[in-house]
Amino acid sequence: LRWTIAAFALAAPALGASQAAIEQAFAKDGFSVKEWFHYGENSQGCIAVSSNVTNYRTKAPKIMYYVEGSAYEMGFLTGLMTSEQAKIMATTFVDRFIIQLLSYEWAERIQNTTEGKELENILAALLVEEANASWNKLYSENVFPEELVQEMRGMVDGCRSVDPLSPVTFEKMVTLNYGFDLVSALAFAGNLSGALEQIAHQRLVRGQVSLPLYRKTQQLLQQPGLLDVPVYCDAFGTHPNMSRTGQDVFFARAFQLVTGDVFQDIATHIIRSPSDSRHATVSVFAPGLVGSITCVGAGGVAMGVDTLRSAFGTPERPGLNSILLVRHTPEVASNTQEAVSVIAGAQRGCPWLYPVCDATGDCVIVEAGSFLQNYSALNPLRYVHDEALRKLLPEPSFLAAHSSEKYFRNGTFVRDYSYRYPAEYFQFNSKLFQHAGLAYNASALQPDAMLFETYQEERTLLKKISNNYFTPPRTGANGQQDSLFVIVSNLAIVPEMRITMMGPLSDAFGRTGECPQFRYDALNMLLSQQVGELDLSSALHTITFLSPDRTPGYWNHTVDPSDPMSAQVEGAVSVVHMRDASGPLLQIHTKVGYWADQFLQTTLKNYLVKEHF
C-alpha cells in the first residue's frame, strides 16, 4: 500500500464487508481493485480499475471508488484517494465554471489568454465569496444535512493529508456542491449580474482588483444574453408493464452541465456505505462533489435532477436543492413516496425538476420551486411582467377553477402515472403563438405529435416563443388517462409551474435552451413505440437518442473534429435497471467522458452486507 503512516492503520478494520467480497462485486462489474486504503480501525475504501472501459481522449482505463465508515471517514477516504482529481475540480473547474456558465462563447474566445485567466480568477473568487456567505447563513439555520457537511470536512482533511498545501478547502467544497444552486436562484430572479458586480466593486475598493480588470468584469456581466445555463437534461421512469418481462423497471436520465473541460475526464461512480442508519448508495460524481448527479440508494430509490428556468425561487435563501438533495434523498428514503416527502420537506429556494423511481416501479416527476406550505400562497402570474403577455394568460379565476392543488406539496407538484392535465389550458396557445409571430398548429399538441419536427427548428423558433405557451404532457393521452411511463426534459408541465417560466429572465434564458420541447417529444415518441417491449438494451438506446451518430450536429465540443463521437458528454447519461425478474437489482450504467466511451456498470446490491428489501 502507498500509505504507511500510523493514521491509516493498515491492519484490516473490523467491518461487515470483507475486502474479498467487495473485490468480487467489482469483478462482476468489470473492475479490478487496484489499492485499498484505511482510516482508523473502522473504515476502508478502494480504487478499482475497469478492464474494458477507457477514456477516448486519454486512453486510460476508467476508475471507480468504494468507501465505508462514518460521514467524516467516508469523506476523508474519498479525499485521500482522489486528492489530485479533487484539486482539479477545486481549481480549474471552479475557475472556469462561472465564465462558461455566463457565456460559453466568451469562455472559448478568451481561453488561454492573460485576459481570460484574469477574468476566470475574478469571477471564480466572486462565486466562492457569494456562495459561502449564503451557505454560512443557512448552515446556522440547520438547512443542510449534517452528515453531508461532515463528509465535506472529511474530504478536505483527506486531501490535506496528502498535500498540506492542497487548494481543496472547505470554501471550495461549498462552491462545488452549492454554487450552482446559488447561481441559478440569482439568475432566474434577475439578481446574478448585480450581485457579482457588487462584489467585484467591493474588491476594487479594497484594492484586490485593478480598475481595468473591474471594467472587463463589468463588460462581461452587462452583455446581452448573459447566462448560458446548460439546459440539456432528460429523464424517464417506467412501470413494470412497459418491459418485455412485465417485471423490469428502468430509470434513465441525462444530466448536462458545464464541464470546465475537466469534469468529463474524472467523473465516475462512487459507492458509499455509511456506518450509520443511512442507506448505502452509488452515485455519479466527480471528486470534490459530495452531492450526486444521479444517485441510487440501497433502499430502492433512484433520483436525478434537471434544470428548470423558473422564477419560483428565493435567491436570498437558495437552501437545499439539486445535487445535495439528490444525494440525501436516496440515503434516507425506501420508496418513492418517502422520497417525495423528503423533497417536499426540504428548505428549497431554487427551482429544479426531480425524476424519482423506486424498485417497485413507482415513478414520478417532481416539479419543485421554493418551499411553500400553502397552495393558496402561490400566485404564478406575479412572475409575468410583460403586460401584453399577461393579458393572453388565464385570469386568477380560471386558475382557481382548474387548480392543480391535489398535486401540490410544499411548493412542489408531483406528476405520476395517473397525473391528469387540465386540457382547458390549451385554448390559450393559439393567441400565445400569434403573439410570438408564429403559426399555430393545434394538431401538434396531440399525444403522439412533435411540436417542433427537428431540434434545428426549435433552436430557431424558440427565440420567438421562448417559454410562453402551455406544454402538452403527451403521456397518458395528454394527461387524460394513466400512463406506463413518466418523462421530463427542462419543461414544467403543470400549468401553474409553467406560468412561473414566463417571467422576463426565465424567458430570456429560455431562448438559449437547447430544444427542451423537441427532446421531451422525442422521448415520448420513442417510449410510446416500446410499450411492453422495453429492456436494458432499448432503455440505453432510448436515453442516448441525442448521441452524435443519431442526432448529428447537436454536440460540437469534439476532441477530433473528424470524429463526431469524440464529442464531450457534457455531464453524464445513466440508466438504472431498478428491478428484473429476480427482484431489486439496482444496477446503474453511466456514460461519462466522450460519446465514444462505453458505459460504466455498478450493481449496487452486490456490494451490500445487509438486506435492504
Side-chain angles (χ1 to χ4, degrees), residues 234-242 247-253 279-282 293-306 325-326 329-341 343 353-366 414-417 483-488 527 534 539 543 574-579 584-588 604 613:
D234 305 295
F236 66 82
T238 64
H239 187 278
N241 289 341
M242 268 293 291
Q247 300 179 70
D248 291 65
V249 174
F250 298 98
F251 171 80
R253 50 105 65 291
H279 296 305
T281 58
V282 56
I293 304 300
T294 303
C295 188
V296 185
V301 171
M303 181 173 167
V305 60
D306 286 13
L325 189 55
V326 169
T329 302
E331 286 188 323
V332 298
S334 296
N335 56 59
T336 292
Q337 297 312 307
E338 289 182 5
V340 168
S341 294
I343 298 167
L353 299 161
Y354 298 100
V356 183
C357 280
D358 67 24
T360 71
D362 183 8
C363 299
V364 301
I365 306 299
V366 181
V414 183
R415 291 193 286 116
D416 59 13
Y417 300 127
S483 175
L484 291 176
F485 56 88
V486 295
I487 52 177
V488 65
L527 289 167
L534 198 67
I543 198 59
S574 299
V575 170
V576 185
H577 197 170
M578 301 292 296
R579 183 184 192 89
L585 181 61
L586 309 183
Q587 183 182 78
I588 183 171
L604 181 59
F613 304 100

Side-chain angles (χ1 to χ4, degrees), residues 406-483:
K406 68 178 291 187
Y407 304 106
F408 181 87
R409 293 188 63 178
N410 292 344
T412 73
F413 291 91
V414 183
R415 291 193 286 116
D416 59 13
Y417 300 127
S418 62
Y419 170 70
R420 294 294 185 265
Y421 185 87
E424 292 83 357
Y425 275 92
F426 290 148
Q427 67 184 281
F428 297 95
N429 277 343
S430 177
K431 290 185 177 179
L432 289 169
F433 272 70
Q434 183 180 357
H435 176 67
L438 298 178
Y440 177 64
N441 178 9
S443 65
L445 297 179
Q446 295 304 308
D448 58 351
M450 298 280 293
L451 189 58
F452 304 103
E453 289 298 325
T454 66
Y455 74 85
Q456 294 95 334
E457 181 186 14
E458 183 169 353
R459 278 180 176 172
T460 299
L461 299 184
L462 199 64
K463 292 179 174 63
K464 297 181 178 181
I465 190 70
S466 192
N467 301 317
N468 302 326
Y469 64 96
F470 290 100
T471 43
R474 307 293 191 196
T475 59
N478 261 347
Q480 304 310 302
Q481 63 188 42
D482 290 2
S483 175

